[in-house]
């Protein structure tokens, strides 16, 4: 009886562990996107090219006058990696603090999103994977356009 | 006729506003700031939606700080009839959508068989207003909350004598609806569900009410779409119809469609539609092609 209960608990615990282990389970959409984008290096490329697009985008380039672009690119790449569960820790400011005083509105936010999406398109990232990252970025509209 | 002229004037005004570069537009707050394919296209009643269903999104590419708008032309050649729709719609601050659509429903050679004369046409005007209550189709990716809007459509069909002869109780009617749309961006899937209170026979082209029923009935519009790319969407729609008239039944409408957004100024929607029985003629299947120009 007791052994039975212990065995049951052990099976339940193992099952739970298996369900939460990335090794024993099909990749999540985030993990698939992370891989499809070329891992950390690939995301860094997306961040870099996306930021270049922003700086060439007449709609919003003026918002980044005086910004430390190389640092911004690094932070963005790390943030994308963290958002896709790629094992990175984003150490930058939160989104509201990071964009405070820039007076970004929804059109600016959407322009940013478009520029990064265009970077993913140019780097050959399939649409379904692009959307996984964009879905992580979309809710940032509120904090980014707060001021 | 007056309505058609008004419609043409509105279209001309909207085109005039859309054609210059955004900065010089008559709508100084137009910025086309919304992302591709987040506004839907113009549906058969002129509202923002799919081909035959209505969506919660406010039409055009305007954000909450700006105005968007578009004009469209839609051609639906069916087995025995053809519908040609033209219309104009504006989206105000991602909150209010105002739309006008004119449908010319041509009976073609079938008109003679129905005793109406060849190429007999039924004309319909639809004036629509839609108000977004809450939710954002794009930004709300961290919640299951959909974007929800309510709307009303005033529909006016000419050929009153014919409509009454067919058994319709009225040539005008007002539809009320509530629409919920949810973009599951992570999954690239867009889901829409709309409940409509209506008396309209074939969206009102055959008038409103009839001997079988003259009260409002609750009808359903649903659609499911997949975002193949940022510019290309494929989907399917289903729309239930009341069957009020005595001389003919009405079937639910179905469609499968593909929409291609060339850029924020031009999109093309093509579909295969199955509108069932219309005025006793079964299997009204056919194509659907719609061009939308806007900002």
């Amino acid at each position: 009886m007791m052994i039975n209960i212990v065995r049951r608990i052990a099976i339940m615990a193992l099952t739970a562990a298996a369900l939460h282990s990335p090794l024993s389970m099909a990749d999540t959409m985030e993990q698939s996107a992370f891989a499809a984008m070329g891992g950390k290096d690939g995301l860094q490329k997306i961040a870099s090219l996306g930021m270049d697009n922003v700086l060439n985008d007449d709609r919003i380039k003026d918002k980044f006058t005086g910004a430390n672009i190389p640092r911004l690119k690094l932070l963005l790449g790390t943030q994308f990696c963290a958002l896709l569960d790629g094992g990175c820790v984003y150490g930058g400011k939160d989104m509201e603090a990071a964009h405070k005083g820039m007076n970004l509105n929804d059109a600016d936010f959407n322009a940013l999103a478009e520029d990064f999406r265009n970077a993913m398109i140019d780097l050959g990232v399939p649409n379904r994977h692009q959307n996984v990252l964009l879905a992580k970025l979309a809710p940032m509209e509120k904090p980014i356009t707060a001021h | 006729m007056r309505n058609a002229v008004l419609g043409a004037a509105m279209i001309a005004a909207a085109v005039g506003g859309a054609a210059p570069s955004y900065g010089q537009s008559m709508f100084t707050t137009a910025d086309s700031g919304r992302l591709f394919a987040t506004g839907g296209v113009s549906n058969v009643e002129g509202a923002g939606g799919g081909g035959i269903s209505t969506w919660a999104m406010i039409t055009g590419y305007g954000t909450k700080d700006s105005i968007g708008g578009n004009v469209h032309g839609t051609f639906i050649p069916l087995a025995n009839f053809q519908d040609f729709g033209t219309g104009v719609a504006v989206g105000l601050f991602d909150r209010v959508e105002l739309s006008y659509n004119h449908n010319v429903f041509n009976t073609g050679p079938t008109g003679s068989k129905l005793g109406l004369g060849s190429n007999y046409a039924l004309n319909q005007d639809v004036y629509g207003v839609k108000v977004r209550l809450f939710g954002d189709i794009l930004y709300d990716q961290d919640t299951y909350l959909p974007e929800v809007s309510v709307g009303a459509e005033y529909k006016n069909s000419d050929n009153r004598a014919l409509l009454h002869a067919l058994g319709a109780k009225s040539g005008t009617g007002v539809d009320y609806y509530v629409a919920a749309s949810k973009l599951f961006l992570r999954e690239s899937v867009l889901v829409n569900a709309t409940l409509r209170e209506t008396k309209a026979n074939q969206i009102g082209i055959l008038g409103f009410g009839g001997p079988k029923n003259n009260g409002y009935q609750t009808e359903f519009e649903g659609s499911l779409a997949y975002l193949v790319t940022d510019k290309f969407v494929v989907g399917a729609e289903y729309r239930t119809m009341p069957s009020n008239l005595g001389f003919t039944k009405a079937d639910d409408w179905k469609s499968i469609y593909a929409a291609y957004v060339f850029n924020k100024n031009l999109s093309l929607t093509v579909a295969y539609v199955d509108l069932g029985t219309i005025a006793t003629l079964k299997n009204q299947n056919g194509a659907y092609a719609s061009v939308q120009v806007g900002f």
Side-chain angles (χ1 to χ4, degrees):
Chain A
M1 179 68 183
M2 191 64 192
I3 289 170
N4 236 340
I5 289 170
V6 170
R7 187 191 284 169
R8 277 192 184 185
I9 291 170
I11 289 170
M12 281 165 68
L14 282 172
T15 309
L19 283 173
H20 286 93
S21 159
L23 291 173
S24 59
M25 196 185 152
D27 281 356
T28 63
M29 297 183 83
E30 285 73 19
Q31 289 166 330
S32 300
F34 180 76
M37 292 180 194
K40 287 179 194 177
D41 291 346
L43 287 168
Q44 203 57 63
K45 274 187 201 145
I46 291 167
S48 183
L49 182 57
M51 204 57 226
D52 291 342
N53 289 343
V54 169
L55 297 173
N56 286 316
D57 187 338
D58 288 338
R59 296 174 296 181
I60 46 171
K61 63 181 181 187
D62 293 344
K63 300 281 184 183
F64 292 85
T65 309
N68 183 343
I69 300 302
R71 180 173 171 276
L72 201 49
K73 287 179 174 179
L74 270 176
L75 273 172
L76 277 167
T78 309
Q79 186 186 31
F80 293 168
C81 166
L83 289 170
L84 294 179
D85 304 332
C88 302
V89 178
Y90 171 68
K93 291 183 196 171
D94 70 58
M95 284 299 100
E96 186 165 339
H99 298 88
K100 194 167 184 172
M102 290 178 76
N103 288 315
L104 299 172
N105 64 17
D106 280 357
D108 300 326
F109 175 82
N110 293 344
L112 282 168
E114 267 178 28
D115 289 334
F116 285 96
R117 181 170 60 190
N118 286 337
M120 290 191 275
I121 292 169
D122 289 344
L123 291 168
V125 177
N127 185 70
R128 66 180 193 282
H129 295 309
Q130 293 174 30
N131 285 348
V132 174
L133 181 57
L134 290 172
K136 298 282 182 188
L137 299 174
M140 296 178 182
E141 175 265 346
K142 273 185 198 75
I144 285 178
T145 62
H147 298 284
Chain B
M1 185 58 201
R2 196 164 53 87
N3 288 333
V5 170
L6 176 65
M10 285 170 76
I11 290 169
V15 171
S21 68
Y22 302 132
Q24 296 153 0
S25 157
M26 66 180 277
F27 299 121
T28 51
T29 54
D31 58 13
S32 292
R34 203 127 50 103
L35 286 174
F36 281 177
T38 54
V41 294
S42 298
N43 76 358
V44 71
E45 284 142 320
I52 60 171
S53 65
T54 309
W55 298 355
M57 288 88 95
I58 300 301
T59 199
Y61 285 105
T63 67
K64 68 170 180 259
D65 311 306
S66 64
I67 290 171
N70 48 63
V71 296
H72 72 272
T74 301
F75 183 53
I76 314 172
L78 301 168
N80 294 97
F81 307 106
Q82 46 182 265
D83 185 73
F84 185 65
T86 46
V88 56
V90 292
L92 308 174
F93 309 106
D94 200 27
R95 178 61 68 187
V96 176
E97 173 186 298
L98 301 173
S99 61
Y100 167 76
N101 187 73
H102 184 78
N103 278 317
V104 179
F105 189 79
N106 198 313
T107 58
T110 309
S112 307
K113 285 187 216 162
L114 296 171
L116 300 170
S118 189
N119 286 317
Y120 187 88
L122 291 145
N123 288 271
Q124 181 200 39
D125 293 300
V126 182
Y127 302 86
V129 58
K130 185 197 288 182
V131 178
R132 184 176 64 85
L133 297 183
F134 58 82
D136 186 284
I137 195 68
L138 181 64
Y139 304 140
D140 289 345
Q141 295 301 320
D142 51 352
T143 164
Y144 285 107
L145 204 69
E147 179 169 326
V148 174
S149 296
V150 291
E153 286 171 346
Y154 172 74
K155 299 173 171 181
N156 183 26
S157 299
D158 70 354
N159 317 66
R160 296 290 168 83
L162 172 66
L163 297 179
H164 284 285
L166 294 175
K169 297 291 184 192
S170 177
T172 63
V174 182
D175 287 4
Y176 303 94
Y177 63 83
V178 53
S181 299
K182 184 68 195 173
L183 173 64
F184 296 97
L185 184 58
R186 181 175 177 261
E187 288 77 18
S188 302
V189 171
L190 176 66
V191 184
N192 301 276
T194 298
L195 291 176
R196 177 182 294 265
E197 290 294 315
T198 185
K199 296 181 180 185
N201 307 319
Q202 304 293 353
I203 70 168
I205 285 167
L206 297 184
F208 301 81
K212 280 200 240 165
N213 178 62
N214 192 34
Y216 275 101
Q217 294 189 60
T218 305
E219 303 296 337
F220 172 77
E221 295 161 39
S223 100
L224 194 62
Y226 181 74
L227 282 61
V228 181
T229 74
D230 60 320
K231 296 180 177 180
F232 184 49
V233 180
V234 294
E237 299 169 288
Y238 195 93
R239 177 168 180 171
T240 67
M241 289 280 153
S243 196
N244 303 325
L245 293 171
F247 82 102
T248 178
K249 68 168 186 155
D251 295 319
D252 296 345
W253 287 14
K254 299 151 203 131
S255 94
I256 48 171
Y257 69 91
Y260 191 82
V261 180
F262 292 91
N263 53 49
K264 282 177 180 170
N265 304 118
L266 180 66
S267 71
L268 173 68
T269 306
V270 293
Y272 174 78
V273 294
D274 174 359
L275 308 187
T277 302
I278 297 179
T280 72
L281 294 163
K282 292 177 184 170
N283 300 319
Q284 294 306 311
N285 307 332
Y288 175 112
S290 182
V291 176
Q292 189 190 69
V293 178
F295 63 101

